[in-house]
Amino acid sequence: MGYRLPEHFITYCLRGAGQVFFMENALTGVCFLLAIAYASVDTGNWATTVGAVLGLVVSTGTAYLIDARDKAITQGLYGFNGILVGIAVPTFLAAGPVMWVLLLLGAAISTVVMDAFSNVVTKNWGVAASTGPFVLTTWMLMLAAYAFANLPIASMGPPKLPEAISVAGFAGMAPQDMLVILCRNIAQVFLLGNAVSGVLIVIGLLVESIPATIAAILGSVVALFCSVLFGADPAAVKAGLYGFSPVLTAIACGVIFLKTGPKVLVFALLATIFTVIVQGALDTLLAPVGIPTFTAPYVLAMWLFTLPKTQLQPHPHAPSPDAKIGN
Amino acid sequence: MGYRLPEHFITYCLRGAGQVFFMENALTGVCFLLAIAYASVDTGNWATTVGAVLGLVVSTGTAYLIDARDKAITQGLYGFNGILVGIAVPTFLAAGPVMWVLLLLGAAISTVVMDAFSNVVTKNWGVAASTGPFVLTTWMLMLAAYAFANLPIASMGPPKLPEAISVAGFAGMAPQDMLVILCRNIAQVFLLGNAVSGVLIVIGLLVESIPATIAAILGSVVALFCSVLFGADPAAVKAGLYGFSPVLTAIACGVIFLKTGPKVLVFALLATIFTVIVQGALDTLLAPVGIPTFTAPYVLAMWLFTLPKTQLQPHPHAPSPDAKIGN
Amino acid sequence: MGYRLPEHFITYCLRGAGQVFFMENALTGVCFLLAIAYASVDTGNWATTVGAVLGLVVSTGTAYLIDARDKAITQGLYGFNGILVGIAVPTFLAAGPVMWVLLLLGAAISTVVMDAFSNVVTKNWGVAASTGPFVLTTWMLMLAAYAFANLPIASMGPPKLPEAISVAGFAGMAPQDMLVILCRNIAQVFLLGNAVSGVLIVIGLLVESIPATIAAILGSVVALFCSVLFGADPAAVKAGLYGFSPVLTAIACGVIFLKTGPKVLVFALLATIFTVIVQGALDTLLAPVGIPTFTAPYVLAMWLFTLPKTQLQPHPHAPSPDAKIGN
């Protein structure tokens, strides 16, 4: 009824950007793209912004190839993994023709993986795929880069055996330093180490949801507190690398996938703390293969904390009625 | 009807201890706690016993927070993962305030993970979560310890690349040495390297189930035989580290989850031997990240051997009727 | 009705050989066994051919122990994992009595794992287990070999941290060299580095299915093109190690599990390219533990690309109706 398809497609893509923070709002998506562009201005590396846009367009477009549901496409549910693939590839790999080919392939594949994950974790288990497809797809691309000479690595690794950290060294931190970290915790969801980008993202959240904004900020605070308490690597904490997954967990478990209430707040707090622990754990686990965790700590924690949403009876320690082998 | 709640809660906790060996019996749980305490007397390290009690109480208590089914709570199905978390943390990490915080968090998280696993492996696949939640939760805690300065490691690692073992060296073993190993194989289910603790655990099993006791002992014998046959590291074999997972597999596949019978005995024997192989495999797999396997070999083998319990038709090598992409 | 059981059982086994390439045809299986035997003639190592036959017989026979469905047994669906276990063990481990014990155990276990996988990936998710059971079982056997002195390693590893490849060096390749690689890409599905074996396999495919034959050849071409484009290790490419998984993906996604059509061809092409990427990725991932990828790149890609076969609605970014924790 008078809608023009190209305009629509752009709206879906912008919603896809917003859905990285669970916001089905094109204006939120615009704020997020500005956050990404601001970081490019700051670093001088525009490949991440170009990659973000390409990833968004290709992943949303690929949804048509695989006959995905129209409603999901319009909600932007096929764009949020693709935009993250599009930022991650030029962040960790050196720009070049084969890198751009890989980026386009990765964005398209992320849409297929989204449907694959939805079949397993949503249809069978009742939880969201969320950024799981981004994590799996981009892990494959990053691991493959070590094996392929035409995909030189810009800033990952090198692979090394994990060593126990012995000095934490948070002797003193000025309040303004803490504020910068709190913003970076939010910006790193888009792999941006820029505090101003974090502020732009918060503005984008405010456009759509005040509860989600509050959850993001509280998640950032809890992550900073816990990472200092546990004694995480100060350089990583300052870069916001201990905060981005907990921020997502706080929003997902406190506001988006569970109905906010007193018990859910305690539950989401536990989930957020657990995400900080999993961040440390996956940093150790992936050290020997030299790839980043991406949002895997969030995905794992969110799955574990949203799976038990109905009353469940664990398997009794006795044979089930359909046990039939050898009888 | 005259039952006092605190008494009940203690009973549930004790049943939780018993459920590590699938025994819903509080008295069995008392024997198991005695086995843990005996090892503490022997080593002088009481943190493991204190941790066991805390883990039991916190994990069972957390089940109320997440509105778990009352029946499952009373059966002790939320305690057996927590008690193992509570023993494992002070076994591998140095005692300190942050360690105790981590232990309490880990016990609470193990209950959430239990319900998450139940949703997937029990509701969807029809098998038991068993100690899977303990393994996953504690792996995260142990891996995180490498990344956190305030969680110093006491006895794990260091991470190293696996090297092929070349000399087995079981030149001769006295019968009494073998008996000690057979007991340690059982004690190590609770991470105890103490033969007397193994005897106390066997007594606890006898209280509830003679078939389970026999399966435990046979599983221990099969594990010792196979690990010598394959030429496993003698130090690990002597410490009981090649036996605890096979012991659990033998009970689980021979008595608990399948109906005992001639074919099931052959099947459980194959599962038990496979568990020895998986123990060696996971030792190799985890060497680069420096964490213990815990009961993962049992969990993997038990899942693989209890999943095929109904007659299944594998996927034909032809399109399924609902294949729709691109048509 | 006049059928003799031994004859039948042999037919089932031969079909099992054929099913490695999805062909339920005993004559195809004969061609494949000839391909394996030809490579043994060439290398002088007959253990792989003997292992293949033993693996086929034991895995198919074990299906009776676990009361598998008769129809699936007759289709050869319990043999194709076992034959691959039987070839892999003597390829990577040194021959000796314990190795043969391990081979027989592994073949039997692969049948149990087949039913376990079918319960999860086929019954719950609607996709084929395919060679997943072979991969998981043989990974366990290979990892365990590092831990067991009586299972000396012949040709794997050593475990090492991955290093980024910097020189591709495909300066020039003669057409006949390319032809040899295209054949090896197909032969390596059976772990054979022999081009003539590849030709015998193609003949076996032709006996049953022309579309599958075409898909295999096109998959081999795409794999060679992509691995050169990405700059993969020339030695690995020349040995056919970048091609065997893509060949299987091309057949599986282009002909077997989806209905061939214009969109499916584009989809299968993307899946095949992705398989080359995953091959590089898993080479990196497994370097620290020193084991081969086997067909894992194919299995992962095939699962991800056949899971989205029905129209799916991804999880909305909102609480699901049955979200109940803490309410």
Side-chain angles (χ1 to χ4, degrees):
Chain A
M1 297 296 201
Y3 285 115
R4 285 179 303 150
L5 195 73
E7 185 185 326
H8 261 222
F9 184 74
I10 292 172
T11 311
Y12 310 157
C13 286
L14 290 172
R15 283 182 192 145
Q19 290 283 19
V20 172
F21 275 88
F22 320 103
M23 303 290 110
E24 187 184 320
N25 185 317
L27 192 55
T28 302
V30 171
C31 293
F32 291 177
L33 284 176
L34 288 175
I36 297 165
Y38 184 88
S40 283
V41 172
D42 191 45
T43 61
N45 176 13
W46 280 91
T48 50
T49 300
V50 175
V53 173
L54 285 177
L56 208 43
V57 170
V58 170
S59 61
T60 307
T62 304
Y64 292 99
L65 168 69
I66 63 167
D67 297 325
R69 281 204 187 187
D70 288 342
K71 193 186 162 201
I73 297 175
T74 63
Q75 291 174 315
L77 292 176
Y78 289 98
F80 67 92
N81 282 293
I83 189 175
L84 292 172
V85 172
I87 302 170
V89 169
T91 298
F92 297 105
L93 303 187
V98 180
M99 185 216 78
W100 291 106
V101 170
L102 191 78
L103 189 153
L104 298 175
L105 287 169
I109 290 162
S110 77
T111 291
V112 177
V113 177
M114 179 65 182
D115 254 8
F117 271 48
S118 294
N119 193 354
V120 173
V121 303
T122 304
K123 200 172 121 196
N124 278 276
W125 305 344
V127 298
S130 200
T131 50
F134 153 63
V135 171
L136 180 62
T137 305
T138 318
W139 272 353
M140 290 300 128
L141 306 183
M142 296 297 116
L143 287 168
Y146 284 98
F148 294 143
N150 297 336
L151 289 166
I153 290 162
S155 63
M156 276 198 304
K160 59 169 190 276
L161 292 172
E163 282 182 67
I165 287 184
S166 52
V167 182
F170 277 101
M173 199 186 285
Q176 65 270 32
D177 289 348
M178 286 204 277
L179 206 61
V180 167
I181 296 174
L182 293 179
C183 292
R184 280 189 190 138
N185 282 345
I186 292 167
Q188 284 287 8
V189 170
F190 281 103
L191 301 103
L192 312 170
N194 190 300
V196 175
S197 296
V199 174
L200 288 167
I201 291 168
V202 170
I203 292 168
L205 285 171
L206 271 174
V207 167
E208 172 69 12
S209 165
I210 291 171
T213 313
I214 295 170
I217 293 167
L218 289 180
S220 184
V221 171
V222 168
L224 177 55
F225 176 81
C226 289
S227 50
V228 172
L229 173 73
F230 292 139
D233 173 23
V237 173
K238 283 173 189 163
L241 296 175
Y242 267 96
F244 65 96
S245 273
V247 160
L248 289 174
T249 302
I251 307 174
C253 295
V255 175
I256 303 294
F257 297 123
L258 302 172
K259 287 179 200 135
T260 315
K263 267 192 178 177
V264 160
L265 290 183
V266 175
F267 193 70
L269 175 64
L270 186 61
T272 306
I273 297 170
F274 182 55
T275 309
V276 178
I277 294 170
V278 177
Q279 180 66 57
L282 296 195
D283 284 343
T284 302
L285 187 67
L286 297 177
V289 289
I291 57 168
T293 64
F294 299 121
T295 50
Y298 150 66
V299 174
L300 180 61
M302 181 273 287
W303 281 346
L304 291 173
F305 276 75
T306 58
L307 272 168
K309 66 187 139 193
T310 46
Q311 288 215 341
L312 293 164
Q313 174 64 27
H315 196 294
H317 282 167
S320 60
D322 61 342
K324 273 193 190 130
I325 280 177
N327 291 301
Chain B
M1 298 294 204
Y3 285 115
R4 287 177 303 150
L5 196 72
E7 184 185 326
H8 261 222
F9 184 74
I10 292 171
T11 310
Y12 309 157
C13 286
L14 290 173
R15 283 182 192 145
Q19 290 283 18
V20 172
F21 274 89
F22 321 102
M23 304 288 110
E24 186 184 320
N25 185 317
L27 191 53
T28 302
V30 170
C31 293
F32 291 177
L33 285 175
L34 287 176
I36 298 165
Y38 184 88
S40 284
V41 172
D42 191 45
T43 61
N45 176 13
W46 281 90
T48 49
T49 300
V50 175
V53 173
L54 285 176
L56 208 43
V57 170
V58 169
S59 61
T60 307
T62 303
Y64 292 100
L65 167 69
I66 63 167
D67 298 325
R69 281 205 186 185
D70 288 342
K71 193 186 163 200
I73 298 175
T74 62
Q75 290 174 316
L77 292 177
Y78 288 99
F80 67 91
N81 282 292
I83 190 174
L84 292 172
V85 173
I87 301 171
V89 170
T91 298
F92 296 105
L93 304 187
V98 181
M99 184 215 79
W100 290 106
V101 170
L102 191 79
L103 187 153
L104 298 175
L105 286 170
I109 289 162
S110 78
T111 292
V112 177
V113 177
M114 178 65 183
D115 254 9
F117 270 49
S118 294
N119 194 353
V120 174
V121 303
T122 304
K123 199 172 121 197
N124 278 275
W125 305 344
V127 298
S130 199
T131 50
F134 153 63
V135 171
L136 180 63
T137 305
T138 317
W139 271 353
M140 291 298 129
L141 305 182
M142 296 297 115
L143 287 168
Y146 283 98
F148 295 144
N150 297 335
L151 288 167
I153 290 162
S155 63
M156 275 197 304
K160 58 169 191 277
L161 292 172
E163 282 182 68
I165 287 184
S166 52
V167 182
F170 277 102
M173 199 187 284
Q176 65 269 32
D177 289 347
M178 286 205 277
L179 206 62
V180 167
I181 296 175
L182 292 179
C183 291
R184 281 191 189 137
N185 281 346
I186 291 167
Q188 285 286 8
V189 170
F190 281 103
L191 300 103
L192 311 171
N194 190 300
V196 176
S197 296
V199 173
L200 288 167
I201 290 168
V202 170
I203 292 168
L205 285 172
L206 271 174
V207 167
E208 172 68 13
S209 165
I210 290 173
T213 313
I214 294 170
I217 293 167
L218 289 180
S220 183
V221 170
V222 168
L224 177 54
F225 176 81
C226 289
S227 50
V228 172
L229 172 73
F230 292 138
D233 173 23
V237 173
K238 282 174 190 164
L241 296 174
Y242 267 95
F244 64 97
S245 273
V247 160
L248 289 174
T249 301
I251 307 174
C253 294
V255 176
I256 303 295
F257 297 123
L258 301 172
K259 288 178 200 137
T260 315
K263 268 192 177 177
V264 160
L265 290 182
V266 175
F267 193 70
L269 174 65
L270 186 63
T272 306
I273 295 170
F274 182 55
T275 308
V276 177
I277 294 170
V278 177
Q279 180 65 58
L282 296 196
D283 284 343
T284 301
L285 186 68
L286 297 178
V289 289
I291 56 169
T293 65
F294 298 122
T295 50
Y298 149 67
V299 174
L300 181 60
M302 181 271 289
W303 281 347
L304 291 173
F305 277 75
T306 59
L307 272 168
K309 66 187 139 193
T310 45
Q311 288 216 341
L312 294 163
Q313 173 65 28
H315 196 295
H317 283 168
S320 60
D322 62 341
K324 272 191 192 133
I325 280 176
N327 290 302
Chain C
M1 298 296 202
Y3 285 115
R4 286 177 302 151
L5 197 72
E7 184 185 326
H8 262 222
F9 184 75
I10 291 171
T11 309
Y12 310 157
C13 285
L14 290 172
R15 283 181 192 146
Q19 290 283 17
V20 171
F21 274 89
F22 321 103
M23 303 290 111
E24 187 186 320
N25 185 317
L27 191 55
T28 302
V30 171
C31 293
F32 291 177
L33 285 176
L34 287 176
I36 298 165
Y38 183 89
S40 284
V41 172
D42 190 46
T43 62
N45 177 13
W46 281 90
T48 49
T49 300
V50 175
V53 173
L54 285 176
L56 207 44
V57 170
V58 169
S59 61
T60 307
T62 304
Y64 292 100
L65 167 70
I66 63 167
D67 298 325
R69 281 205 186 185
D70 288 342
K71 193 187 163 199
I73 298 176
T74 62
Q75 290 175 313
L77 292 176
Y78 289 99
F80 66 92
N81 282 292
I83 189 175
L84 291 172
V85 172
I87 301 171
V89 170
T91 297
F92 297 105
L93 304 187
V98 181
M99 185 215 78
W100 290 106
V101 170
L102 191 79
L103 188 153
L104 298 175
L105 287 169
I109 290 163
S110 78
T111 291
V112 176
V113 177
M114 179 64 184
D115 253 9
F117 271 49
S118 294
N119 193 355
V120 173
V121 303
T122 304
K123 201 172 120 197
N124 278 275
W125 306 343
V127 298
S130 200
T131 50
F134 153 63
V135 172
L136 180 62
T137 304
T138 317
W139 272 353
M140 290 299 129
L141 305 183
M142 295 298 116
L143 287 167
Y146 285 98
F148 295 143
N150 297 336
L151 289 167
I153 290 162
S155 64
M156 275 199 304
K160 58 168 188 279
L161 293 173
E163 282 182 68
I165 286 184
S166 52
V167 182
F170 276 102
M173 199 186 283
Q176 65 269 31
D177 289 347
M178 286 204 277
L179 205 62
V180 167
I181 296 175
L182 292 179
C183 292
R184 280 191 189 136
N185 282 346
I186 292 168
Q188 284 287 8
V189 171
F190 281 103
L191 301 104
L192 310 171
N194 191 300
V196 176
S197 297
V199 174
L200 287 167
I201 291 168
V202 170
I203 292 169
L205 285 171
L206 271 175
V207 167
E208 172 68 14
S209 164
I210 291 171
T213 312
I214 294 169
I217 293 167
L218 289 179
S220 183
V221 170
V222 169
L224 177 55
F225 176 81
C226 289
S227 51
V228 172
L229 172 74
F230 293 139
D233 173 23
V237 173
K238 282 174 189 163
L241 296 175
Y242 267 96
F244 64 97
S245 273
V247 161
L248 288 174
T249 301
I251 306 173
C253 294
V255 175
I256 304 294
F257 296 123
L258 302 171
K259 286 179 201 136
T260 315
K263 269 192 179 178
V264 161
L265 289 182
V266 176
F267 193 70
L269 174 64
L270 187 62
T272 305
I273 296 170
F274 182 55
T275 308
V276 177
I277 295 170
V278 177
Q279 180 65 57
L282 296 195
D283 284 344
T284 302
L285 187 68
L286 297 178
V289 289
I291 57 170
T293 65
F294 298 122
T295 50
Y298 149 65
V299 174
L300 180 60
M302 181 272 287
W303 281 347
L304 291 173
F305 277 74
T306 57
L307 272 167
K309 66 186 137 192
T310 46
Q311 287 216 340
L312 293 163
Q313 174 65 26
H315 197 292
H317 282 167
S320 60
D322 62 341
K324 272 191 192 133
I325 280 177
N327 291 301

